[in-house]
Amino acid sequence: MEMEFKQLSVQNGIAEYQMLQDIGSHENGFPNEVYGISFNDYKKWLIEQDDYSKSQNLPENFIPQTTYFLYADGQPVGIARIRHHSSAFLEKQGVGNFGYGIAKQHRGKGYGNILFGKIIEICKSLGYTEVKSFVHVDNMASNKIFKNNGAVLAGVLNNTKNIYVTRIDL
């Protein structure tokens, strides 16, 4: 199986849009603004996300972030957003250095582990020496992915989110 990890492009089309319809609007804490919106609004969202990756038109308290898609044999199966740097403000709210989602129809196939590895590679290129992540305590699949990939449980936020720290070797 051929795996690819590509940065979002304003040229992304119907395949990525349809995949995002298979991830709830805030499923397991991952904000998916595309869920349930029209294709025309999705195209506007692509431009917005592309701007965010360039530190342009950021809403208040937003950090520049880049969105990526994971593809298996040319089909999108997951999405990731990686913040370009940490924010104590966001961490106090339970928002970490990255977030990801796998489309429902593609879960349980190991894509979460692949996506996690790709995310860590990008975090390393951004100069992170460690990343902090917040995973819902009842999200068994993601908790397993984090543990299997070397993340260390550092605490629990408000009895709802496990706080993981993943060290990155530079």
Side-chain angles (χ1 to χ4, degrees):
M1 179 169 298
E2 182 182 339
M3 302 301 297
E4 292 181 274
F5 190 59
K6 294 182 190 176
Q7 184 173 334
L8 171 144
S9 164
V10 295
Q11 303 304 313
N12 287 128
I14 194 73
E16 293 82 4
Y17 171 78
Q18 288 175 335
M19 186 272 300
L20 289 167
Q21 299 312 305
D22 202 27
I23 301 172
S25 66
H26 208 75
E27 192 172 319
N28 293 316
F30 181 77
N32 176 12
E33 305 88 352
V34 176
Y35 183 76
I37 68 172
S38 71
F39 185 75
N40 285 337
D41 286 341
Y42 160 71
K43 294 303 274 183
K44 293 174 189 172
W45 176 84
L46 289 172
I47 294 166
E48 178 183 80
Q49 296 304 305
D50 186 58
D51 281 353
Y52 294 172
S53 73
K54 300 170 185 168
S55 299
Q56 298 172 349
N57 302 314
L58 293 169
E60 188 176 347
N61 295 318
F62 258 54
I63 294 173
Q65 64 183 17
T66 303
T67 301
Y68 298 87
F69 291 106
L70 179 67
Y71 297 84
D73 291 333
Q75 293 300 310
V77 298
I79 182 173
R81 281 196 200 100
I82 303 170
R83 289 174 190 79
H84 296 190
H85 55 84
S86 293
S87 164
F89 173 80
L90 291 176
E91 287 179 9
K92 287 178 184 174
Q93 297 176 48
V95 177
N97 303 124
F98 67 86
Y100 71 92
I102 303 292
K104 287 180 185 123
Q105 65 177 323
H106 298 292
R107 293 179 187 164
K109 299 177 182 177
Y111 297 136
N113 285 302
I114 293 167
L115 190 55
F116 189 93
K118 298 293 187 185
I119 291 167
I120 295 301
E121 287 176 23
I122 298 294
C123 288
K124 182 177 180 177
S125 75
L126 290 170
Y128 280 103
T129 56
E130 68 178 27
V131 291
K132 189 179 282 186
S133 307
F134 297 82
V135 179
H136 283 241
V137 294
D138 60 353
N139 183 346
M140 296 303 154
S142 282
N143 279 286
K144 183 177 178 183
I145 287 167
F146 276 76
K147 291 175 186 172
N148 287 347
N149 286 282
V152 175
L153 183 62
V156 179
L157 179 69
N158 299 327
N159 295 318
T160 61
K161 295 181 181 180
N162 287 329
I163 304 167
Y164 287 102
V165 174
T166 305
R167 301 274 313 142
I168 299 174
D169 297 324
L170 295 178

